[in-house]
Short mmCIF file of all heavy atoms in Angstrom, two decimals:
data_model
loop_
_atom_site.label_atom_id
_atom_site.label_comp_id
_atom_site.label_asym_id
_atom_site.label_seq_id
_atom_site.Cartn_x
_atom_site.Cartn_y
_atom_site.Cartn_z
N SER A 19 0.84 -1.17 0.00
CA SER A 19 0.00 0.00 0.00
C SER A 19 0.89 1.24 0.00
O SER A 19 1.86 1.33 0.74
CB SER A 19 -0.88 -0.07 1.23
OG SER A 19 -1.16 1.16 1.76
N ARG A 20 0.56 2.21 -0.84
CA ARG A 20 1.33 3.45 -0.95
C ARG A 20 0.65 4.57 -0.19
O ARG A 20 -0.57 4.62 -0.08
CB ARG A 20 1.45 3.86 -2.41
CG ARG A 20 2.36 2.99 -3.19
CD ARG A 20 2.64 3.68 -4.49
NE ARG A 20 3.90 3.20 -5.02
CZ ARG A 20 4.17 3.08 -6.28
NH1 ARG A 20 3.27 3.41 -7.18
NH2 ARG A 20 5.35 2.65 -6.68
N GLN A 21 1.48 5.48 0.30
CA GLN A 21 0.93 6.65 0.98
C GLN A 21 0.65 7.73 -0.04
O GLN A 21 1.35 7.87 -1.04
CB GLN A 21 1.90 7.16 2.03
CG GLN A 21 1.93 6.32 3.27
CD GLN A 21 2.54 7.08 4.43
OE1 GLN A 21 3.34 7.97 4.23
NE2 GLN A 21 2.15 6.72 5.63
N PHE A 22 -0.38 8.52 0.23
CA PHE A 22 -0.79 9.61 -0.65
C PHE A 22 -0.47 10.93 0.03
O PHE A 22 -0.66 11.09 1.23
CB PHE A 22 -2.29 9.50 -0.92
CG PHE A 22 -2.83 10.66 -1.69
CD1 PHE A 22 -2.65 10.74 -3.06
CD2 PHE A 22 -3.50 11.69 -1.05
CE1 PHE A 22 -3.15 11.81 -3.78
CE2 PHE A 22 -4.01 12.76 -1.76
CZ PHE A 22 -3.82 12.82 -3.13
N SER A 23 0.00 11.90 -0.76
CA SER A 23 0.28 13.22 -0.23
C SER A 23 -0.28 14.28 -1.18
O SER A 23 -0.02 14.22 -2.39
CB SER A 23 1.78 13.43 -0.07
OG SER A 23 2.05 14.77 0.29
N VAL A 24 -1.05 15.21 -0.64
CA VAL A 24 -1.62 16.27 -1.48
C VAL A 24 -0.54 17.24 -1.96
O VAL A 24 -0.77 18.00 -2.90
CB VAL A 24 -2.74 17.05 -0.76
CG1 VAL A 24 -3.92 16.15 -0.47
CG2 VAL A 24 -2.22 17.71 0.50
N THR A 25 0.63 17.23 -1.35
CA THR A 25 1.69 18.16 -1.73
C THR A 25 2.64 17.57 -2.76
O THR A 25 3.51 18.27 -3.27
CB THR A 25 2.49 18.60 -0.50
OG1 THR A 25 3.07 17.46 0.12
CG2 THR A 25 1.61 19.35 0.49
N LYS A 26 2.49 16.30 -3.09
CA LYS A 26 3.38 15.64 -4.06
C LYS A 26 3.32 16.36 -5.39
O LYS A 26 2.25 16.66 -5.92
CB LYS A 26 2.94 14.18 -4.24
CG LYS A 26 3.75 13.40 -5.21
CD LYS A 26 4.98 12.87 -4.58
CE LYS A 26 5.66 11.91 -5.55
NZ LYS A 26 7.05 11.82 -5.32
N GLY A 27 4.49 16.70 -5.92
CA GLY A 27 4.57 17.38 -7.20
C GLY A 27 4.33 18.87 -7.14
O GLY A 27 4.20 19.53 -8.17
N THR A 28 4.28 19.44 -5.94
CA THR A 28 4.08 20.88 -5.79
C THR A 28 5.31 21.49 -5.12
O THR A 28 6.21 20.79 -4.67
CB THR A 28 2.84 21.19 -4.92
OG1 THR A 28 3.12 20.83 -3.56
CG2 THR A 28 1.61 20.47 -5.41
N MET A 29 5.31 22.81 -5.02
CA MET A 29 6.43 23.47 -4.35
C MET A 29 6.45 23.17 -2.85
O MET A 29 7.43 23.43 -2.18
CB MET A 29 6.37 24.99 -4.58
CG MET A 29 5.23 25.68 -3.93
SD MET A 29 5.30 27.44 -4.27
CE MET A 29 3.57 27.82 -4.20
N MET A 30 5.36 22.60 -2.35
CA MET A 30 5.26 22.28 -0.92
C MET A 30 5.71 20.85 -0.60
O MET A 30 5.65 20.44 0.55
CB MET A 30 3.82 22.49 -0.47
CG MET A 30 3.35 23.91 -0.60
SD MET A 30 1.59 24.07 -0.37
CE MET A 30 1.04 24.12 -2.06
N GLU A 31 6.17 20.15 -1.61
CA GLU A 31 6.59 18.76 -1.42
C GLU A 31 7.81 18.69 -0.50
O GLU A 31 8.70 19.53 -0.55
CB GLU A 31 6.94 18.13 -2.77
CG GLU A 31 7.26 16.67 -2.71
CD GLU A 31 7.48 16.05 -4.08
OE1 GLU A 31 7.42 16.77 -5.08
OE2 GLU A 31 7.72 14.85 -4.12
N ARG A 32 7.82 17.68 0.35
CA ARG A 32 8.94 17.40 1.26
C ARG A 32 9.25 18.56 2.20
O ARG A 32 10.40 18.94 2.39
CB ARG A 32 10.19 17.01 0.47
CG ARG A 32 10.01 15.72 -0.30
CD ARG A 32 11.21 15.41 -1.17
NE ARG A 32 12.45 15.60 -0.44
CZ ARG A 32 13.39 14.68 -0.28
NH1 ARG A 32 13.25 13.51 -0.83
NH2 ARG A 32 14.49 14.93 0.39
N THR A 33 8.22 19.12 2.78
CA THR A 33 8.39 20.20 3.75
C THR A 33 7.66 19.84 5.03
O THR A 33 6.67 19.10 5.00
CB THR A 33 7.87 21.55 3.21
OG1 THR A 33 8.10 22.55 4.18
CG2 THR A 33 6.41 21.50 2.89
N HIS A 34 8.16 20.34 6.13
CA HIS A 34 7.53 20.08 7.42
C HIS A 34 6.65 21.24 7.87
O HIS A 34 6.00 21.16 8.90
CB HIS A 34 8.58 19.78 8.49
CG HIS A 34 9.36 18.54 8.21
ND1 HIS A 34 8.82 17.28 8.33
CD2 HIS A 34 10.63 18.35 7.78
CE1 HIS A 34 9.72 16.38 8.01
NE2 HIS A 34 10.83 17.00 7.67
N LEU A 35 6.65 22.30 7.09
CA LEU A 35 5.82 23.45 7.44
C LEU A 35 4.35 23.13 7.17
O LEU A 35 4.03 22.48 6.17
CB LEU A 35 6.22 24.67 6.61
CG LEU A 35 7.58 25.27 6.92
CD1 LEU A 35 7.96 26.29 5.88
CD2 LEU A 35 7.57 25.91 8.30
N PRO A 36 3.45 23.58 8.03
CA PRO A 36 2.03 23.32 7.79
C PRO A 36 1.53 24.04 6.54
O PRO A 36 2.07 25.09 6.16
CB PRO A 36 1.35 23.86 9.05
CG PRO A 36 2.34 24.71 9.73
CD PRO A 36 3.70 24.31 9.27
N LEU A 37 0.51 23.49 5.92
CA LEU A 37 -0.05 24.10 4.72
C LEU A 37 -0.58 25.51 4.99
O LEU A 37 -0.51 26.37 4.11
CB LEU A 37 -1.17 23.23 4.15
CG LEU A 37 -0.72 21.92 3.49
CD1 LEU A 37 -1.92 21.14 3.00
CD2 LEU A 37 0.25 22.18 2.36
N THR A 38 -1.06 25.74 6.19
CA THR A 38 -1.55 27.08 6.53
C THR A 38 -0.43 28.12 6.43
O THR A 38 -0.66 29.25 6.00
CB THR A 38 -2.18 27.12 7.93
OG1 THR A 38 -1.25 26.58 8.87
CG2 THR A 38 -3.47 26.34 7.98
N ALA A 39 0.79 27.74 6.82
CA ALA A 39 1.94 28.64 6.70
C ALA A 39 2.25 28.91 5.24
O ALA A 39 2.53 30.05 4.84
CB ALA A 39 3.16 28.04 7.41
N TRP A 40 2.19 27.87 4.41
CA TRP A 40 2.43 28.03 2.98
C TRP A 40 1.39 28.97 2.36
O TRP A 40 1.73 29.87 1.61
CB TRP A 40 2.38 26.67 2.27
CG TRP A 40 3.67 25.94 2.32
CD1 TRP A 40 4.03 24.96 3.19
CD2 TRP A 40 4.78 26.12 1.45
NE1 TRP A 40 5.29 24.52 2.92
CE2 TRP A 40 5.77 25.21 1.85
CE3 TRP A 40 5.03 26.95 0.36
CZ2 TRP A 40 7.00 25.12 1.21
CZ3 TRP A 40 6.26 26.86 -0.29
CH2 TRP A 40 7.23 25.95 0.14
N PHE A 41 0.12 28.74 2.67
CA PHE A 41 -0.94 29.55 2.07
C PHE A 41 -0.84 31.00 2.51
O PHE A 41 -1.04 31.91 1.70
CB PHE A 41 -2.31 28.96 2.40
CG PHE A 41 -2.54 27.61 1.78
CD1 PHE A 41 -3.24 26.64 2.46
CD2 PHE A 41 -2.05 27.30 0.52
CE1 PHE A 41 -3.47 25.39 1.90
CE2 PHE A 41 -2.26 26.05 -0.05
CZ PHE A 41 -2.98 25.10 0.64
N MET A 42 -0.51 31.24 3.77
CA MET A 42 -0.35 32.61 4.24
C MET A 42 0.84 33.25 3.52
O MET A 42 0.74 34.41 3.08
CB MET A 42 -0.14 32.68 5.75
CG MET A 42 0.26 34.08 6.16
SD MET A 42 -0.05 34.64 7.81
CE MET A 42 -1.69 34.23 8.16
N ALA A 43 1.93 32.54 3.40
CA ALA A 43 3.13 33.08 2.74
C ALA A 43 2.85 33.39 1.28
O ALA A 43 3.24 34.45 0.77
CB ALA A 43 4.28 32.09 2.87
N ILE A 44 2.16 32.49 0.59
CA ILE A 44 1.83 32.72 -0.82
C ILE A 44 0.95 33.96 -0.95
O ILE A 44 1.18 34.81 -1.83
CB ILE A 44 1.13 31.47 -1.42
CG1 ILE A 44 2.13 30.31 -1.51
CG2 ILE A 44 0.54 31.79 -2.80
CD1 ILE A 44 1.49 28.95 -1.76
N TRP A 45 -0.05 34.09 -0.08
CA TRP A 45 -0.93 35.25 -0.13
C TRP A 45 -0.15 36.54 0.12
O TRP A 45 -0.34 37.53 -0.58
CB TRP A 45 -2.06 35.10 0.91
CG TRP A 45 -3.09 36.16 0.78
CD1 TRP A 45 -4.20 36.14 -0.01
CD2 TRP A 45 -3.09 37.42 1.45
NE1 TRP A 45 -4.88 37.32 0.14
CE2 TRP A 45 -4.23 38.13 1.02
CE3 TRP A 45 -2.23 38.02 2.38
CZ2 TRP A 45 -4.54 39.39 1.48
CZ3 TRP A 45 -2.54 39.30 2.83
CH2 TRP A 45 -3.68 39.96 2.40
N LEU A 46 0.73 36.52 1.12
CA LEU A 46 1.52 37.71 1.44
C LEU A 46 2.42 38.12 0.29
O LEU A 46 2.52 39.30 -0.05
CB LEU A 46 2.35 37.48 2.70
CG LEU A 46 1.56 37.44 4.01
CD1 LEU A 46 2.43 36.85 5.13
CD2 LEU A 46 1.07 38.82 4.39
N VAL A 47 3.09 37.15 -0.33
CA VAL A 47 3.99 37.45 -1.45
C VAL A 47 3.18 37.99 -2.64
O VAL A 47 3.56 38.97 -3.27
CB VAL A 47 4.80 36.20 -1.86
CG1 VAL A 47 5.56 36.43 -3.15
CG2 VAL A 47 5.78 35.83 -0.74
N ALA A 48 2.07 37.35 -2.94
CA ALA A 48 1.26 37.74 -4.09
C ALA A 48 0.60 39.11 -3.92
O ALA A 48 0.37 39.82 -4.89
CB ALA A 48 0.20 36.69 -4.36
N ASN A 49 0.31 39.49 -2.69
CA ASN A 49 -0.41 40.74 -2.44
C ASN A 49 0.47 41.87 -1.93
O ASN A 49 -0.05 42.93 -1.59
CB ASN A 49 -1.57 40.49 -1.46
CG ASN A 49 -2.66 39.70 -2.11
OD1 ASN A 49 -3.37 40.21 -2.96
ND2 ASN A 49 -2.77 38.44 -1.74
N SER A 50 1.77 41.66 -1.88
CA SER A 50 2.68 42.70 -1.43
C SER A 50 3.09 43.56 -2.62
O SER A 50 3.66 43.07 -3.59
CB SER A 50 3.92 42.06 -0.79
OG SER A 50 4.85 43.04 -0.45
N LYS A 51 2.81 44.84 -2.54
CA LYS A 51 3.11 45.74 -3.66
C LYS A 51 4.60 46.01 -3.81
O LYS A 51 5.11 46.17 -4.91
CB LYS A 51 2.37 47.06 -3.48
CG LYS A 51 0.88 46.91 -3.64
CD LYS A 51 0.17 48.23 -3.54
CE LYS A 51 -1.31 48.00 -3.71
NZ LYS A 51 -2.08 49.23 -3.69
N ARG A 52 5.31 46.05 -2.70
CA ARG A 52 6.74 46.36 -2.76
C ARG A 52 7.63 45.17 -2.47
O ARG A 52 8.84 45.29 -2.32
CB ARG A 52 7.06 47.50 -1.80
CG ARG A 52 6.74 47.20 -0.36
CD ARG A 52 7.21 48.29 0.59
NE ARG A 52 6.93 47.92 1.96
CZ ARG A 52 7.67 47.08 2.68
NH1 ARG A 52 8.74 46.54 2.16
NH2 ARG A 52 7.34 46.80 3.93
N GLY A 53 7.04 44.00 -2.35
CA GLY A 53 7.80 42.80 -2.02
C GLY A 53 7.83 42.58 -0.53
O GLY A 53 7.43 43.46 0.25
N ILE A 54 8.29 41.43 -0.13
CA ILE A 54 8.33 41.09 1.29
C ILE A 54 9.67 40.43 1.60
O ILE A 54 10.18 39.66 0.79
CB ILE A 54 7.14 40.18 1.68
CG1 ILE A 54 7.04 40.01 3.19
CG2 ILE A 54 7.17 38.87 0.94
CD1 ILE A 54 5.74 39.41 3.66
N SER A 55 10.24 40.77 2.72
CA SER A 55 11.53 40.20 3.11
C SER A 55 11.31 38.93 3.92
O SER A 55 10.21 38.68 4.44
CB SER A 55 12.33 41.20 3.94
OG SER A 55 11.71 41.38 5.21
N ALA A 56 12.36 38.15 4.06
CA ALA A 56 12.29 36.93 4.87
C ALA A 56 11.99 37.27 6.33
O ALA A 56 11.25 36.56 6.99
CB ALA A 56 13.58 36.15 4.75
N ALA A 57 12.53 38.38 6.81
CA ALA A 57 12.28 38.78 8.20
C ALA A 57 10.81 39.14 8.42
O ALA A 57 10.23 38.79 9.44
CB ALA A 57 13.18 39.96 8.57
N GLU A 58 10.22 39.84 7.45
CA GLU A 58 8.79 40.17 7.55
C GLU A 58 7.94 38.90 7.51
O GLU A 58 7.02 38.73 8.30
CB GLU A 58 8.37 41.08 6.41
CG GLU A 58 8.88 42.50 6.51
CD GLU A 58 8.54 43.32 5.29
OE1 GLU A 58 8.88 42.89 4.16
OE2 GLU A 58 7.91 44.37 5.47
N LEU A 59 8.29 38.01 6.58
CA LEU A 59 7.55 36.76 6.45
C LEU A 59 7.66 35.92 7.71
O LEU A 59 6.68 35.33 8.16
CB LEU A 59 8.07 35.98 5.23
CG LEU A 59 7.24 34.80 4.79
CD1 LEU A 59 5.83 35.21 4.42
CD2 LEU A 59 7.90 34.09 3.63
N GLN A 60 8.83 35.91 8.30
CA GLN A 60 9.05 35.19 9.56
C GLN A 60 8.08 35.67 10.63
O GLN A 60 7.48 34.87 11.35
CB GLN A 60 10.49 35.40 10.02
CG GLN A 60 10.81 34.80 11.36
CD GLN A 60 12.20 35.20 11.85
OE1 GLN A 60 12.83 36.11 11.31
NE2 GLN A 60 12.68 34.54 12.87
N GLY A 61 7.92 36.97 10.74
CA GLY A 61 7.02 37.54 11.74
C GLY A 61 5.56 37.20 11.48
O GLY A 61 4.82 36.87 12.40
N TYR A 62 5.15 37.29 10.22
CA TYR A 62 3.75 37.00 9.88
C TYR A 62 3.40 35.53 10.03
O TYR A 62 2.35 35.18 10.55
CB TYR A 62 3.45 37.43 8.44
CG TYR A 62 3.32 38.91 8.25
CD1 TYR A 62 4.14 39.58 7.35
CD2 TYR A 62 2.37 39.66 8.94
CE1 TYR A 62 4.02 40.95 7.15
CE2 TYR A 62 2.25 41.02 8.75
CZ TYR A 62 3.07 41.66 7.85
OH TYR A 62 2.95 43.02 7.66
N VAL A 63 4.28 34.67 9.55
CA VAL A 63 3.98 33.23 9.52
C VAL A 63 4.31 32.55 10.85
O VAL A 63 3.68 31.58 11.22
CB VAL A 63 4.73 32.56 8.34
CG1 VAL A 63 4.54 31.06 8.34
CG2 VAL A 63 4.27 33.15 7.02
N GLY A 64 5.31 33.08 11.55
CA GLY A 64 5.70 32.49 12.82
C GLY A 64 6.62 31.30 12.66
O GLY A 64 6.51 30.31 13.38
N CYS A 65 7.53 31.39 11.71
CA CYS A 65 8.50 30.31 11.48
C CYS A 65 9.90 30.88 11.68
O CYS A 65 10.07 32.06 11.97
CB CYS A 65 8.34 29.74 10.07
SG CYS A 65 8.63 30.94 8.75
N SER A 66 10.90 30.05 11.50
CA SER A 66 12.28 30.51 11.64
C SER A 66 12.67 31.35 10.41
O SER A 66 12.01 31.28 9.37
CB SER A 66 13.23 29.32 11.75
OG SER A 66 13.30 28.63 10.52
N TYR A 67 13.73 32.12 10.55
CA TYR A 67 14.20 32.94 9.43
C TYR A 67 14.60 32.05 8.26
O TYR A 67 14.31 32.36 7.11
CB TYR A 67 15.38 33.81 9.88
CG TYR A 67 15.87 34.74 8.79
CD1 TYR A 67 15.21 35.95 8.56
CD2 TYR A 67 16.96 34.41 8.01
CE1 TYR A 67 15.64 36.81 7.56
CE2 TYR A 67 17.39 35.26 6.99
CZ TYR A 67 16.73 36.46 6.78
OH TYR A 67 17.15 37.31 5.78
N ARG A 68 15.25 30.95 8.57
CA ARG A 68 15.69 30.02 7.52
C ARG A 68 14.49 29.44 6.76
O ARG A 68 14.52 29.32 5.54
CB ARG A 68 16.52 28.91 8.15
CG ARG A 68 17.17 28.01 7.15
CD ARG A 68 18.16 27.11 7.81
NE ARG A 68 18.70 26.20 6.83
CZ ARG A 68 19.45 25.17 7.11
NH1 ARG A 68 19.76 24.91 8.36
NH2 ARG A 68 19.92 24.39 6.17
N SER A 69 13.43 29.10 7.49
CA SER A 69 12.21 28.60 6.84
C SER A 69 11.57 29.68 5.99
O SER A 69 11.06 29.40 4.90
CB SER A 69 11.21 28.10 7.88
OG SER A 69 11.69 26.93 8.51
N ALA A 70 11.59 30.91 6.46
CA ALA A 70 11.03 32.03 5.70
C ALA A 70 11.80 32.24 4.40
O ALA A 70 11.21 32.48 3.34
CB ALA A 70 11.04 33.30 6.54
N GLU A 71 13.12 32.12 4.45
CA GLU A 71 13.94 32.22 3.24
C GLU A 71 13.58 31.11 2.25
O GLU A 71 13.47 31.35 1.05
CB GLU A 71 15.42 32.13 3.58
CG GLU A 71 16.02 33.35 4.19
CD GLU A 71 17.50 33.19 4.43
OE1 GLU A 71 17.93 32.16 4.98
OE2 GLU A 71 18.24 34.11 4.04
N TYR A 72 13.41 29.90 2.78
CA TYR A 72 13.05 28.74 1.96
C TYR A 72 11.69 28.96 1.30
O TYR A 72 11.53 28.71 0.10
CB TYR A 72 13.04 27.50 2.85
CG TYR A 72 12.59 26.24 2.18
CD1 TYR A 72 13.46 25.53 1.36
CD2 TYR A 72 11.30 25.74 2.37
CE1 TYR A 72 13.06 24.36 0.73
CE2 TYR A 72 10.89 24.57 1.75
CZ TYR A 72 11.78 23.89 0.94
OH TYR A 72 11.37 22.73 0.33
N LEU A 73 10.72 29.45 2.07
CA LEU A 73 9.40 29.73 1.54
C LEU A 73 9.48 30.75 0.40
O LEU A 73 8.92 30.54 -0.68
CB LEU A 73 8.48 30.29 2.63
CG LEU A 73 7.87 29.32 3.61
CD1 LEU A 73 7.29 30.07 4.80
CD2 LEU A 73 6.81 28.49 2.95
N LEU A 74 10.19 31.83 0.63
CA LEU A 74 10.31 32.87 -0.39
C LEU A 74 10.97 32.34 -1.66
O LEU A 74 10.53 32.65 -2.77
CB LEU A 74 11.11 34.06 0.14
CG LEU A 74 10.35 35.03 1.02
CD1 LEU A 74 11.28 36.10 1.57
CD2 LEU A 74 9.20 35.67 0.27
N GLU A 75 12.01 31.56 -1.49
CA GLU A 75 12.72 31.00 -2.65
C GLU A 75 11.78 30.13 -3.49
O GLU A 75 11.70 30.28 -4.71
CB GLU A 75 13.91 30.18 -2.19
CG GLU A 75 14.70 29.55 -3.31
CD GLU A 75 15.84 28.69 -2.80
OE1 GLU A 75 16.34 28.92 -1.68
OE2 GLU A 75 16.22 27.76 -3.53
N ARG A 76 11.05 29.25 -2.82
CA ARG A 76 10.13 28.35 -3.53
C ARG A 76 8.98 29.11 -4.17
O ARG A 76 8.60 28.83 -5.30
CB ARG A 76 9.57 27.31 -2.56
CG ARG A 76 10.54 26.21 -2.19
CD ARG A 76 10.56 25.17 -3.31
NE ARG A 76 11.35 24.01 -3.02
CZ ARG A 76 10.88 22.86 -2.55
NH1 ARG A 76 9.62 22.72 -2.25
NH2 ARG A 76 11.68 21.84 -2.36
N ILE A 77 8.41 30.07 -3.46
CA ILE A 77 7.27 30.83 -3.98
C ILE A 77 7.69 31.68 -5.17
O ILE A 77 7.02 31.71 -6.21
CB ILE A 77 6.63 31.69 -2.88
CG1 ILE A 77 6.00 30.79 -1.81
CG2 ILE A 77 5.61 32.67 -3.45
CD1 ILE A 77 5.63 31.50 -0.52
N ARG A 78 8.81 32.39 -5.04
CA ARG A 78 9.29 33.23 -6.14
C ARG A 78 9.62 32.40 -7.37
O ARG A 78 9.35 32.81 -8.50
CB ARG A 78 10.50 34.05 -5.69
CG ARG A 78 10.13 35.15 -4.74
CD ARG A 78 11.35 35.86 -4.19
NE ARG A 78 10.98 36.96 -3.30
CZ ARG A 78 11.78 37.45 -2.38
NH1 ARG A 78 12.99 36.98 -2.22
NH2 ARG A 78 11.36 38.43 -1.60
N CYS A 79 10.19 31.25 -7.16
CA CYS A 79 10.51 30.35 -8.26
C CYS A 79 9.24 29.90 -8.98
O CYS A 79 9.16 29.93 -10.20
CB CYS A 79 11.28 29.16 -7.74
SG CYS A 79 11.76 28.01 -9.03
N ALA A 80 8.23 29.52 -8.22
CA ALA A 80 6.96 29.09 -8.80
C ALA A 80 6.28 30.23 -9.55
O ALA A 80 5.71 30.02 -10.63
CB ALA A 80 6.04 28.54 -7.72
N MET A 81 6.37 31.44 -9.01
CA MET A 81 5.73 32.59 -9.64
C MET A 81 6.45 33.01 -10.91
O MET A 81 5.85 33.61 -11.81
CB MET A 81 5.64 33.76 -8.67
CG MET A 81 4.66 33.53 -7.54
SD MET A 81 4.64 34.85 -6.34
CE MET A 81 3.68 36.07 -7.23
N SER A 82 7.73 32.69 -11.02
CA SER A 82 8.50 33.07 -12.20
C SER A 82 8.20 32.17 -13.39
O SER A 82 8.55 32.49 -14.52
CB SER A 82 10.00 33.03 -11.89
OG SER A 82 10.44 31.68 -11.81
N GLY A 83 7.58 31.03 -13.14
CA GLY A 83 7.25 30.12 -14.22
C GLY A 83 8.37 29.19 -14.60
O GLY A 83 8.27 28.44 -15.56
N SER A 84 9.46 29.21 -13.85
CA SER A 84 10.60 28.35 -14.18
C SER A 84 10.78 27.23 -13.16
O SER A 84 11.87 26.72 -12.98
CB SER A 84 11.88 29.18 -14.30
OG SER A 84 12.07 29.96 -13.14
N GLU A 85 9.73 26.86 -12.49
CA GLU A 85 9.80 25.79 -11.49
C GLU A 85 10.24 24.49 -12.14
O GLU A 85 9.72 24.09 -13.17
CB GLU A 85 8.43 25.60 -10.82
CG GLU A 85 8.47 24.64 -9.66
CD GLU A 85 7.12 24.56 -8.95
OE1 GLU A 85 6.14 25.07 -9.47
OE2 GLU A 85 7.09 23.97 -7.87
N GLY A 86 11.21 23.85 -11.55
CA GLY A 86 11.71 22.59 -12.08
C GLY A 86 12.79 22.77 -13.12
O GLY A 86 13.48 21.83 -13.46
N VAL A 87 12.96 23.98 -13.64
CA VAL A 87 13.98 24.22 -14.66
C VAL A 87 15.22 24.81 -13.99
O VAL A 87 16.27 24.20 -13.96
CB VAL A 87 13.46 25.17 -15.77
CG1 VAL A 87 14.56 25.44 -16.78
CG2 VAL A 87 12.25 24.56 -16.44
N LEU A 88 15.07 26.00 -13.45
CA LEU A 88 16.20 26.67 -12.81
C LEU A 88 16.18 26.56 -11.31
O LEU A 88 17.16 26.81 -10.65
CB LEU A 88 16.21 28.16 -13.20
CG LEU A 88 16.31 28.47 -14.68
CD1 LEU A 88 16.15 29.96 -14.92
CD2 LEU A 88 17.64 28.00 -15.23
N CYS A 89 15.04 26.22 -10.77
CA CYS A 89 14.87 26.17 -9.33
C CYS A 89 15.00 24.75 -8.83
O CYS A 89 14.48 23.83 -9.44
CB CYS A 89 13.50 26.73 -8.94
SG CYS A 89 13.19 28.37 -9.63
N ALA A 90 15.69 24.60 -7.72
CA ALA A 90 15.87 23.26 -7.16
C ALA A 90 14.96 23.03 -5.99
O ALA A 90 14.52 23.90 -5.34
CB ALA A 90 17.31 23.07 -6.73
#
């Protein structure tokens, strides 16, 4: 029997952050007129600075349309 994951094949794959943190981060990045820093994201989402950097990297990569090509 195989396990199923709703995040398989998405930018959220293989992460320990809750989906609510991802959705909040995506909303904040998409709705920020001047951009958002990792420190700001850390405060809003309530994660570590390193996790906030990881979130931003993955979200920006997905938004650029080059997911899987240039982004690891």
Side-chain angles (χ1 to χ4, degrees):
S19 147
R20 288 193 156 147
Q21 284 198 333
F22 174 79
S23 173
V24 295
T25 59
K26 179 83 171 154
T28 70
M29 68 179 151
M30 297 169 262
E31 186 175 2
R32 296 175 46 124
T33 181
H34 296 288
L35 291 170
L37 289 178
T38 52
W40 276 97
F41 294 143
M42 171 156 312
I44 292 166
W45 188 88
L46 288 166
V47 170
N49 289 289
S50 175
K51 291 184 180 182
R52 60 174 183 80
I54 189 167
S55 69
E58 288 175 305
L59 192 59
Q60 175 188 13
Y62 285 122
V63 175
C65 61
S66 69
Y67 183 82
R68 188 170 176 189
S69 291
E71 284 183 312
Y72 176 79
L73 281 166
L74 280 176
E75 180 183 335
R76 284 279 185 97
I77 293 167
R78 288 174 178 157
C79 181
M81 290 176 78
S82 74
S84 53
E85 187 175 12
V87 178
L88 301 173
C89 307

